[in-house]
Structures are given as C-alpha cells and as structure tokens.
Amino acid sequence: MIVRIMGEGQLDLTDADLELLNDFDGKIEDAIEKNDEATFRRALHDLLDRVRKDSKPLPPDSLEPSQFILPHADATMDEVRAMLGDEGLIPDVR
Amino acid sequence: MSVFQRLSMVFKSKANKALDAVEDPRETLDYSYQKQLELLQKVRRGVADVATSRKRVELQIQQLEQQSGKLENQGRAALQQGREDLAREALTRRSGLASQIDGLKQQHESLQQEEQKLTLAAQRLQAKVDAFRTKKETIKATYTAAQAQTQISEAFSGISEEMGDVGMAVQRAEDKTSEMQARAGAVDELLASGALDDVTGTAKDDIQAELDRMASTTGVEAELEKMKRELEPGGGSSAPQQIEGGNSTRQGQGEGA
C-alpha cells in the first residue's frame, strides 16, 4: 500500500501494522469531529512517526498514485478541512 | 471513510476531471507536461525567495548583535562615570534587543527548514517529471486513443498527486516568506527610526550623546570650579567686566550640567 506524507514524498507501507495505523486514524477523525486541535496534533504526529518507521520510501521516479495521503506534520485542522473542501488548496493540474 | 482516503480521493478527482475534459486523452499529456515544467520553475523560484528572506534575517541578526555589544560598552562607560541611571537605561535596551534577536533566530531556523523542504520537493518533482516524459512519449507512439486511456490515467494520477502536493508546499513557503518579510520590515523600520539606534554609526543615539556631553562638561565643570575658587577669597572686585546682566559674581551654576 502506497501512502504520501505531504511535503515528504511517497512511502510503501506494505509491511506495516495496519491495525495500529487505523487506531491513529480513528483518533484523528474523532479529534476533527470534536474540533479538538491538541488531540488532532498529537495523533497526527504519532501517526506520521509510525508511518515513517514502518515504511520504505518509494523511488522518486515512481508514478504510482497513493492510496492514502497524510497531511504534513505542521498541518492544522483548518488546513485539513480546507483540503477536503470542493476546491480545497489543491491546484488544478491540467 | 478515513480522512486520509478522502484526501487521496480529492487529489484523484482533480486528475480525473482534467482527463475527462478532453476528447483524446493523449492531448492532455503534452499540456500536462508543460504544466509540470512551469511548476518546477515555480518551485525553484520559491527556493530562491526563501533563501533571500533567510539572508535578510541573517543580516538583521548581525546588526542587532552589533547594537547589543555597543549598548553593553555604553553601559560600562556610563558606570565608570558614575551614571548608574544611564547604565541601567543602556542595559534595559540591550535586554529588549536580546528578545528581538531570539525571535529572528527562530525565524531563521524556520526559513532554513522551508528552504530544505522545497529543495527536496524540487528534486522529487524533477524525477517524476522525467519519468512522465518518458512514459508520455511511449504512450503517444504506441497506443491508440482508446488504448491510451488507462495508461494515461495511471501516469497522470501519479504526477498530478505530486504536483498537487508540491503546489501546496510552494504556497506554504510563500506564506511563510511573506510573513517573515513583514516582520523583517518591522525590524528595518525600528532600525531606521533610531528606536534601536542606527547601526551604520552615522547617527548618535541619546545614550551616546549624553556620554559625550558628560565628557565635554567634565572639562567645563573643572574650569568653573577653578574660577569659583579664584573669586571666593574677597576677590569680588576683580569680577570679569565683559559678562553682561545680573550679578557678575553668580557665574558658578553651569547650565545644562
């Protein structure tokens, strides 16, 4: 499974403990729903640390899309919400 | 659905929208490649802008550190002349500068990190753009429009995701740089207004002016004391005639001391 950490590049998470990652993921979703910035930040950092530890970087010339995209470490909840919006922050690439 | 799967879907839908908009997806390849090259240029400009900001902050740190050293010397000089009040003022200003310097050092570190991130992003994007160019030529040469669809989608998803990510990284760097520039501008204004003293050394700050004045009045005071002593022992008749107005013997109070 390929994931991207925004601003850091793509990683192969094939051998990772997905149960554990799902647990972090759940905490992050929960924090966003409750609008709890501190919990969101802590859970995001824990998740990113774990992903970096359990994965292998993809070759830079790979053109594979990622199954998951994780926000960069400094991302705030508002930024993540904006990314998920219709127009979001992502520029058109055509 | 997980937040991160949703994020991935947002990226993918952008790419799909772009592909759906054209009759023959092969046309998209060249257009997209041009966009990729433009983005690469933009990232490189971003790196240069961040580097410029970083150098500006470095220069300001140097200026403020110079000023801090100068205030310390002034404090010492004031104490040597028995002016504790002036020494305290100099050291108070110096401690104000210390917090400015700390703030600038933090900004400097943050800009350095941003510069490094963008440099790496440019390298990653360059590698993907090169891979995309190779694939694009293969697809154009080998496939019909119908056959090309899947191939193009795959290549396009990968590169467009990278472009989306890098585009946002550039935006973040720009935001950070303009924020830093605003703060750097505020420090420049402080330097220019003399609130922190002009470190070019052309203008004198008030503490230095006071020290200089004290040095020059010391000589005047000594001279006055000498005159007073000469006039005291019944020598009032020999008071200088050229001094106009008032009491000719009341010359001992040096104004502005």
Side-chain angles (χ1 to χ4, degrees), chain A residues 4 7 25 62-63 66 94, chain B residues 2 18 31 35 128 161-162:
Chain A
R4 169 182 295 275
D25 187 25
S62 158
L63 290 172
S66 309
R94 244 213 85 217
Chain B
S2 140
Y31 182 74
K35 285 280 192 191
K128 280 192 165 43
E161 181 186 306
E162 187 74 35

Side-chain angles (χ1 to χ4, degrees), chain A:
Chain A
M1 179 175 68
I2 309 298
V3 298
R4 169 182 295 275
I5 299 179
M6 292 180 72
E8 293 182 32
Q10 289 177 291
L11 302 156
D12 185 349
L13 259 179
T14 304
D15 303 327
D17 180 351
L18 294 184
E19 280 295 310
L20 189 70
L21 295 180
N22 275 328
D23 185 42
F24 285 127
D25 187 25
K27 280 183 188 159
I28 289 170
E29 273 201 275
D30 199 39
I32 289 178
E33 271 171 36
K34 288 180 178 156
N35 207 22
D36 181 348
E37 184 82 42
T39 305
F40 167 84
R41 186 151 300 284
R42 210 169 31 247
L44 177 61
H45 276 246
D46 288 348
L47 174 66
L48 294 181
D49 286 346
R50 193 76 210 190
V51 166
R52 290 186 196 111
K53 188 168 163 284
D54 291 353
S55 63
K56 294 190 292 284
L58 223 60
D61 61 352
S62 158
L63 290 172
E64 280 189 76
S66 309
Q67 193 175 340
F68 290 96
I69 293 182
L70 309 178
H72 58 99
D74 304 332
T76 62
M77 275 196 311
D78 283 346
E79 269 184 282
V80 174
R81 283 200 190 98
M83 286 181 220
L84 293 168
D86 271 343
E87 281 311 303
L89 303 168
I90 300 160
D92 285 322
V93 292
R94 244 213 85 217

Side-chain angles (χ1 to χ4, degrees), chain B residues 211-225:
Chain B
L211 285 168
D212 291 350
R213 202 184 57 73
M214 280 163 59
S216 72
T217 51
T218 304
V220 173
E221 288 299 318
E223 202 62 27
L224 276 170
E225 285 304 314

Side-chain angles (χ1 to χ4, degrees), chain B residues 66-82:
Chain B
Q66 265 177 19
Q67 175 61 9
S68 174
K70 185 178 168 184
L71 283 165
E72 188 184 2
N73 292 337
Q74 287 178 335
R76 197 168 284 114
L79 263 187
Q80 280 166 350
Q81 301 197 44

Side-chain angles (χ1 to χ4, degrees), chain B residues 43-204:
Chain B
V43 179
R44 292 192 180 115
R45 274 201 305 276
V47 173
D49 288 348
V50 174
T52 304
S53 274
R54 176 180 52 79
K55 285 173 191 156
R56 184 178 178 190
V57 169
E58 269 169 29
L59 188 67
Q60 288 187 324
I61 290 171
Q62 277 173 20
Q63 288 181 313
L64 294 183
E65 280 176 340
Q66 265 177 19
Q67 175 61 9
S68 174
K70 185 178 168 184
L71 283 165
E72 188 184 2
N73 292 337
Q74 287 178 335
R76 197 168 284 114
L79 263 187
Q80 280 166 350
Q81 301 197 44
R83 286 291 305 275
E84 197 174 321
D85 60 323
L86 208 54
R88 184 171 286 109
E89 175 62 25
L91 295 178
T92 304
R93 288 189 199 179
R94 185 169 174 258
S95 89
L97 279 189
S99 65
Q100 290 268 12
I101 290 168
D102 284 348
L104 283 174
K105 282 184 173 168
Q106 279 171 15
Q107 285 182 32
H108 184 262
E109 194 181 328
S110 164
L111 284 170
Q112 256 181 332
Q113 285 170 358
E114 213 57 50
E115 199 176 339
Q116 195 177 18
K117 273 188 218 164
L118 273 190
T119 304
L120 291 171
Q123 287 168 1
R124 283 195 306 269
L125 182 61
Q126 179 71 66
K128 280 192 165 43
V129 169
D130 291 344
F132 184 88
R133 189 187 56 226
T134 306
K135 195 151 191 164
K136 161 176 92 81
E137 294 311 321
T138 308
I139 290 169
K140 280 169 68 179
T142 316
Y143 298 94
T144 64
Q147 289 171 313
Q149 183 73 54
T150 314
Q151 293 287 325
I152 290 171
S153 293
E154 281 171 13
F156 202 68
S157 295
I159 193 78
S160 65
E161 181 186 306
E162 187 74 35
M163 287 173 76
D165 186 10
V166 170
M168 279 192 273
V170 172
Q171 185 60 55
R172 280 198 302 273
E174 279 175 1
D175 292 349
K176 199 163 272 195
T177 305
S178 58
E179 188 186 310
M180 299 283 180
Q181 281 176 336
R183 285 191 213 165
V187 174
D188 280 343
E189 273 177 39
L190 276 174
L191 286 162
S193 72
L196 299 177
D197 177 33
D198 177 3
V199 291
T200 58
T202 50
K204 281 186 181 175

